[in-house]
Amino acid sequence: MNPTDATGASPAMAQWFAMKAEHEDALLFFRMGDFYELFFADAQAASAALDIALTARGKHQEQPVPMCGVPVSQAEMYLARLIRRGFRVAIVEQMEDPAAAKARGAKGPLARAVVRLVTPGTLTEESLLEAGRANFLVAIVPEGGRLGVAWADISTGLFETQATDAAGLPAVLGRLDPAEILCAGAVELGPYAARQVVPGRLAMQAPAGAPAARRELAQRFSVASLDAFGVFSDAEVLAAGHVLAYIAATQMGAMPRLSHPVCAGETGQLEMDAATRASLEILGSRGGAEAGSLLAAVKRTVSAPGARLLAAWLAAPLNRLDVLQDRQGAWLALRDMGQSEAMRAVLRGAPDVSRALGRIALGRAAPRDLAAIAAGLNTAARLRPMVPQGGRLLDEAAAALDPAPGLADVLGRALAEPAPLRLEDGGAIAAGFDPELDAQRALRDNTRQVIAQFQSELAARYGVASLKIRHHAQLGYVIEVPAVAVEKLRENPELILRQGMANGARFTHPELSALDQRISEAAAQAAGREAIVFAWLVKQVLAQAEALAGCAQALALLDVLQSAAVLSATGRFCCPELSGDEAFEIKSGRHPVVEAALPPGVGFIANHCQLGPAQRLMLLTGPNMAGKSTYLRQNALAVILAQAGLPVPAEAMRLGLVDRLFSRVGAADDLASGRSTFMVEMIETAAILHQAGPKSFVIVDEIGRGTGTRDGLAIAQAVLEALHNSNRCRAIFATHFHELFQLAEALPRLTPYTMRVKEFKGEVVFMHEVVRGAAQRSWGVHVARLAGVPESVARRAEILLKAAERDVPATSALPLFANVAQEQTDARQDVLEELEALDPDRMSPREALDALYALRRRMGGAGDV
């Protein structure tokens, strides 16, 4: 059976073949009544992924056609599972009503069309998206020796670009963590390679050349020139064109509401490479979960949009002093005015206005989306009087909280409470809003009352009290009167005699016939009228789309600001003092993630950190488990929080803004690329040495540990000297090579520090305190005991360590080699004793030869006799 050959297929299957040819890399959700059905290989793949039954429908080329299906009403649930497994899905809808097609005598299959291609980067449904996480579609285009990167989140309307190079691309992708990537050329994507769209028809519909892309973008955003939004390189413009083209292709021409493009390179971001982001676990831990990350430790937001904005601030810290001071001033004003808790109560559970607006703009509005807009407007109205005057950010937010006067009232009166999930479910529009809809519903829901009312009206009109309206199977609704009233009504021109009876007659009436038809069509008419009213409401919302988007952004901003205010109000987070110099002073700093994970009642040992022009480089020694890595990371995380404009876990902090942050802590091997741990370490070290400058901040741990001791010490010293003399950056250099502290005399801006350790009654106590000086021991044997190494091994290690510390020059005198020598001596003695016991005169030549071989075997590895 060849599933690509439509020869002999039924009309409906011929439609399927034609659409599948246009979307070969997608599963076809083919609408058949109340189900989406999948056929052939699509059905086999979907049934396995969804764990649903695989059956068959008809035959093709004399073979059963594999088929599976999902109910239309539950499609989103199944789509979510398919998208998570990496599938793309083309939605094929029936474009006409089956009843209407039958009524007009249509022949052949119902008209069908692909209305949307569902892909990971173009999701809008609430059930398919993570509430607190952006969903980026990214395009990468090589042009002029640079890489243009553009990304959009069509669920919220965000649209940005950036120009970079191959070395900087991993950092951009690490910050965005895209759901889907379009590549217009050969680009190394590393761990994101699996998210790339296979180049094909959809990916290639971008403008041909940068000038064309500039014109299309300017036209799309209704400006004469793209320069109105900033300076964009040709590479960025081409990437932006690819994004828009792909969105248009997947949405079958429908376009979401997108904000105008913003050049992220002009926002003044703190640069971090991919290794640094992974090391510091800013938005997610090693397993990808939010728990255990910096975001989880400092998040006090109460809405999904607020959580997304906070994540965006942490993922892209800034080095623009004015913007950061605006952020600080705003949350300080909320804290000092005591408004954060009241605002928190209002914002708690606030609807996701931006994503609801995104679905409305794409023509996928559901009643609950309009309800979200209404609830968001009500939240904004309650929040506005609470916003204090506290600088530019708060003033702009307050102004944005009154986006569409009157719209909230219209939506409030129009929408039923609670709003149904789908418009097709009915009951979306509240009673009393639209008289015509109310009348249609009355006919649909109160037929008996309507008939009874009309019966009373006719009885009074004709003076026949016994007049009845009844429903007849063949005649429909008719007027029945007794025999005594027949002659009187027969003369009335409005009435038409339809049937005589022994005890009376049945008449029809034009008004009754019309009422009969209206009753029979009432359900469809009510649904149609409700759709018209709903469409009118959608139009009212779209007319205010930009203002509503601004309101949504203001709500998210206020949520982040109150989160920062609440964090600061605890007294354990401070507002850092930011400057343009090279200061770096932290008083009693803490690691927010480690502190949050401590059991109740266990306090975190805070430590100071002071770096600056006179003391740029801290050489940190100390044993494992004493807290070196925690100390390194907590200072890097303090920089991220400060340059995100957020409170810092310390008593005080003074920071000269950092331009680049590097963290080389805890490298691991890269098996996929064939790189050992040491190679990964050296690659990351090389990046630091090539890129770090006087305004950078660097933390490095255990450089040189992955090779021989002498090589490692030499590399560590050379790197330390380069950081001090060439890069001249602020850095914390942790090492187990205690000999390096002697460099303090030759490197004037280097100061040795160590993790304080105490011995008490033979036990070692790690104090987790950073003090000036150098470690004298590594306490590795103690750590081995803590790890559960057998006591015999630990004691043996102590013996070897003490011998090494005595610096005995002759290896034969070390206990290890002494033991080997003693074993050799004992073996020789045993052989000599056996040799003396032999009597050659009584042995045959064969026995003597066997004995000689046995003696040699006894010597084994003991050496020659």
Side-chain angles (χ1 to χ4, degrees):
M1 177 178 64
N2 181 6
T4 63
D5 183 1
T7 303
S10 67
M13 287 305 297
Q15 286 181 326
W16 184 91
F17 278 111
M19 294 171 188
K20 184 62 180 177
E22 294 182 357
H23 301 281
E24 294 179 354
D25 60 346
L27 302 180
L28 235 58
F29 264 37
F30 196 77
R31 180 74 177 265
M32 300 283 278
D34 292 332
F35 279 79
Y36 287 119
E37 297 188 359
L38 299 97
F39 302 100
F40 297 108
D42 287 3
Q44 293 166 340
S47 67
L50 299 175
D51 192 23
I52 58 178
L54 180 68
T55 61
R57 176 190 283 273
K59 290 187 176 183
H60 178 66
Q61 297 179 353
E62 302 305 321
Q63 296 292 325
V65 175
M67 185 273 288
C68 67
V70 301
V72 171
S73 60
Q74 301 176 33
E76 283 191 14
M77 177 183 70
Y78 291 104
L79 277 174
R81 293 166 63 183
L82 290 172
I83 293 298
R84 282 196 295 269
R85 285 163 174 76
F87 291 99
R88 292 175 174 79
V89 180
I91 307 294
V92 181
E93 288 289 356
Q94 296 172 173
M95 305 309 289
E96 56 183 337
D97 181 66
K102 183 178 180 180
R104 63 179 173 81
K107 296 182 179 180
L110 294 174
R112 291 183 174 88
V114 177
V115 298
R116 178 187 173 199
L117 185 63
V118 184
T119 73
T122 58
L123 303 177
T124 58
E125 288 83 355
E126 187 176 358
S127 61
L128 304 185
L129 293 166
E130 292 185 39
R133 181 176 178 177
N135 195 70
F136 289 124
L137 168 69
V138 172
I140 305 170
V141 178
E143 177 70 16
R146 300 280 285 170
L147 292 176
V149 186
W151 57 92
D153 183 345
I154 72 170
S155 70
T156 62
L158 185 143
F159 189 25
E160 294 182 341
T161 70
Q162 184 173 338
T164 185
D165 53 23
L169 181 62
V172 177
L173 296 179
R175 171 164 64 88
L176 299 174
D177 192 17
E180 189 172 8
I181 301 174
L182 311 173
C183 284
V187 179
E188 177 57 48
L189 297 177
Y192 296 98
R195 306 184 192 183
Q196 179 183 355
V197 172
V198 178
R201 185 180 63 84
L202 291 175
M204 303 310 293
Q205 293 182 359
R214 287 184 186 276
R215 288 193 299 271
E216 290 187 17
L217 285 167
Q219 183 179 2
R220 171 71 176 79
F221 294 99
S222 303
V223 292
S225 170
L226 202 58
D227 295 340
F229 304 133
V231 179
F232 299 88
S233 67
D234 286 351
E236 289 174 274
V237 169
L238 286 170
H242 272 73
V243 167
L244 293 183
Y246 187 76
I247 292 173
T250 57
Q251 309 308 304
M252 303 303 142
M255 289 300 291
R257 186 206 65 81
L258 292 177
S259 302
H260 69 73
V262 173
C263 182
E266 295 181 356
T267 58
Q269 294 181 7
L270 166 66
E271 295 188 35
M272 293 183 284
D273 58 26
T276 296
R277 292 181 182 278
S279 168
L280 297 179
E281 299 179 328
I282 300 170
L283 301 185
S285 58
R286 294 286 182 179
E290 183 181 302
S293 68
L294 175 62
L295 173 61
V298 302
K299 185 169 75 173
R300 302 294 186 273
T301 54
V302 292
S303 70
R308 290 198 301 270
L309 182 59
L310 177 61
W313 282 16
L314 291 173
L318 305 177
N319 56 20
R320 286 185 54 184
L321 191 60
D322 57 339
V323 177
L324 294 175
Q325 289 175 338
D326 282 345
R327 291 181 181 179
Q328 289 181 339
W331 61 257
L332 282 172
L334 293 184
R335 185 194 68 181
D336 296 342
M337 294 292 291
Q339 289 285 49
S340 55
E341 285 299 333
M343 293 177 64
R344 186 177 179 84
V346 174
L347 283 165
R348 190 180 302 279
D352 201 333
V353 174
S354 57
R355 283 189 167 169
L357 189 59
R359 288 187 288 271
I360 292 170
L362 271 170
R364 298 187 193 126
R368 292 184 184 179
D369 293 322
L370 291 187
I373 299 295
L377 290 172
N378 291 331
T379 299
R382 294 171 57 198
L383 205 59
R384 191 177 185 191
M386 300 180 185
V387 181
Q389 294 182 346
R392 181 184 63 84
L393 272 186
L394 289 178
D395 291 345
E396 290 179 355
L401 291 179
D402 188 18
L407 182 58
D409 178 64
V410 171
L411 293 176
R413 289 187 295 107
L415 296 172
E417 180 69 32
L421 184 62
R422 302 184 307 160
L423 182 62
E424 294 81 1
D425 295 337
I429 306 301
F433 181 74
D434 182 70
E436 186 175 341
L437 176 59
D438 291 342
Q440 296 292 348
R441 285 176 172 171
L443 280 174
R444 181 195 65 192
D445 302 331
N446 304 305
T447 300
R448 289 185 179 180
Q449 292 87 333
V450 172
I451 292 295
Q453 182 179 352
F454 190 53
Q455 175 179 292
S456 299
E457 181 183 330
L458 290 179
R461 183 189 305 177
Y462 300 128
V464 180
S466 56
L467 180 148
K468 303 293 183 183
I469 296 179
R470 303 187 187 280
H471 190 270
H472 188 273
Q474 285 77 37
L475 302 178
Y477 283 101
V478 293
I479 299 170
E480 288 189 1
V481 295
V484 295
V486 171
E487 290 302 322
K488 180 180 179 181
L489 295 185
R490 189 193 296 269
E491 299 173 359
N492 193 311
E494 293 180 337
L495 298 173
I496 303 171
L497 179 64
R498 293 298 305 273
Q499 189 177 43
M501 299 183 298
N503 58 348
R506 291 175 176 146
F507 294 86
T508 60
H509 187 287
E511 292 182 35
L512 182 58
S513 298
L515 180 60
D516 187 3
Q517 184 173 358
R518 293 206 312 274
I519 289 173
S520 64
E521 298 174 354
Q525 294 287 349
R529 182 60 188 177
E530 189 166 40
I532 291 172
V533 176
F534 188 81
W536 181 83
L537 293 173
V538 167
K539 187 176 180 181
Q540 306 311 302
V541 169
L542 291 178
Q544 305 287 342
E546 293 306 315
L548 290 170
C551 179
Q553 292 170 1
L555 291 173
L557 173 64
L558 290 172
D559 193 12
V560 173
L561 294 177
Q562 70 79 21
S563 170
V566 168
L567 199 64
S568 174
T570 63
R572 297 182 58 76
F573 283 71
C574 72
C575 180
E577 178 187 345
L578 305 178
S579 64
D581 56 21
E582 296 173 14
F584 195 108
E585 300 176 13
I586 299 177
K587 182 180 179 182
S588 300
R590 308 184 310 281
H591 193 302
V593 181
V594 174
E595 184 177 43
L598 290 175
V602 178
F604 186 92
I605 306 300
N607 281 294
H608 308 318
C609 183
Q610 183 167 358
L611 303 170
Q615 181 187 314
R616 291 178 173 273
L617 192 53
M618 175 189 291
L619 178 65
L620 182 63
T621 57
N624 287 317
M625 293 187 65
K628 293 196 305 297
S629 295
T630 298
Y631 180 73
L632 290 171
R633 288 191 173 99
Q634 77 183 44
N635 289 293
L637 294 179
V639 171
I640 291 173
L641 287 169
Q643 295 194 206
L646 299 170
V648 173
E651 286 186 20
M653 180 178 186
R654 183 169 178 268
L655 177 66
L657 293 184
V658 173
D659 63 353
R660 291 174 179 265
L661 175 62
F662 295 93
S663 170
R664 207 231 63 76
V665 181
D669 54 20
D670 183 357
L671 297 178
S673 302
R675 296 169 176 171
S676 67
T677 301
F678 182 64
M679 174 59 77
V680 171
E681 175 186 303
M682 289 299 98
I683 290 173
E684 294 175 3
T685 302
I688 293 172
L689 297 176
H690 283 298
Q691 299 176 53
K695 286 189 173 294
S696 301
F697 179 58
V698 176
I699 59 170
V700 291
D701 188 21
E702 306 296 350
I703 282 185
R705 66 180 173 178
T707 186
T709 302
R710 292 182 179 178
D711 285 352
L713 178 59
I715 292 171
Q717 179 172 339
V719 171
L720 190 61
E721 291 172 348
L723 292 174
H724 182 279
N725 299 328
S726 301
N727 300 98
R728 302 174 64 83
C729 56
R730 293 162 286 183
I732 306 176
F733 191 103
T735 183
H736 277 300
F737 296 126
H738 301 159
E739 303 89 335
L740 293 177
F741 83 91
Q742 300 174 19
L743 292 174
E745 298 180 3
L747 304 178
R749 287 178 293 280
L750 181 147
T751 306
Y753 283 81
T754 188
M755 307 302 300
R756 193 157 73 94
V757 177
K758 277 189 174 183
E759 284 192 82
F760 181 72
K761 294 182 179 181
E763 293 294 325
V764 178
V765 181
F766 296 142
M767 306 302 293
H768 302 295
E769 293 181 19
V770 178
V771 296
R772 194 155 182 163
Q776 301 303 316
R777 297 178 59 185
S778 67
W779 305 102
V781 174
H782 175 71
V783 174
R785 279 197 172 97
L786 291 178
V789 170
E791 183 59 27
S792 60
V793 176
R795 285 199 304 269
R796 175 66 174 154
E798 281 184 333
I799 293 171
L800 297 175
L801 179 62
K802 289 177 181 178
E805 288 174 345
R806 289 196 299 268
D807 197 22
V808 180
T811 57
S812 61
L814 284 174
L816 172 65
F817 296 100
N819 281 1
V820 172
Q822 183 63 48
E823 291 172 2
Q824 292 174 336
T825 301
D826 293 344
R828 289 191 182 96
Q829 185 62 38
D830 290 343
V831 170
L832 288 174
E833 290 177 358
E834 289 191 26
L835 184 60
E836 290 177 356
L838 294 177
D839 186 355
D841 293 334
R842 295 185 178 183
M843 300 171 69
S844 69
R846 179 67 180 177
E847 291 173 338
L849 185 60
D850 289 343
L852 179 61
Y853 279 123
L855 290 173
R856 287 183 61 83
R857 284 195 299 272
R858 287 290 308 276
M859 290 301 299
D864 295 329
V865 180

